[in-house]
Amino acid sequence: MRQVGRDIVMPRYRNLAAHEISEKAADDFVTIADKESELRLAAGLAAILPEASIIGEEACAADPAILERAGNGLNWIIDPIDGTGNFAAGKPPFGIMIALADAGTTLAGWIFDPLTSRLCHAALGGGSRIDGEPVQARESGADLPVAALAVYFMTPEERADIQSRSTDKFTLVDIPRCAAEQYPRLVLGQNDISVFSRTLPWDHAAGTLFLNEAGGLCRRLDGSSYQVGDQRPGLLGASSPRLWDVAAETLFR
């Protein structure tokens, strides 16, 4: 991840030509750096654990059938640049995310910030670390819990309902539009609550494990665990189990 960040991602940062940026869908960007990053990461991961299949965001964009096997067998899951919209606009945050999952359960995850070289890592049952040091999730301590709510994939009715329920209950802050940044914010006491509507594995496999292993809580809106391959919408993360319960009751019950 460090090599890819140094050799592929950062040389393209604020150095992209117009033809090197395109839209896969409305407001969903891809750049030449995403494609090159995924190819290099896939090759490196295949060398580490050749028995695992590769499920990359850009490969799935080209062949959606790849995503259908995400919950089956042993898989490397790659987000070559998370926060591509930010990256393409020449602004932070963005990151590289990798997870290893077996039969839908995330075994390990890595979140790398090429700008700061911060590396978040978690292993199932082994806790979470930032730059090699153990980390425990903590609440912000704000009078009203700090909430970053990703509602742009919700219907207008769902957005209005969430915003109404949040009034006077939470301090709402802008989302970074980058899961590779949002999950560390929950662990580091910067944000208390996050809601995600779209739950693709490259965005959330590593982050949910990192948050849960740090002592926070990330679950489906019905309280069930996040499983790779489950394509239902809706995911709620919080810096503590207590705040997860508060947010679930306030926003979705």
Side-chain angles (χ1 to χ4, degrees), residues 193-243:
I193 294 159
S194 284
V195 172
F196 305 95
S197 51
R198 196 169 67 166
T199 63
L200 294 164
W202 41 83
D203 290 327
H204 298 287
T208 54
L209 182 67
F210 177 65
L211 179 56
N212 287 332
E213 287 291 329
L217 190 62
C218 194
R219 292 190 181 275
R220 292 289 186 180
L221 306 184
D222 63 5
S224 61
S225 298
Y226 178 77
Q227 290 285 305
V228 172
D230 180 352
Q231 298 189 45
R232 289 180 297 161
L235 195 60
L236 174 62
S239 56
S240 69
R242 180 189 76 84
L243 283 177

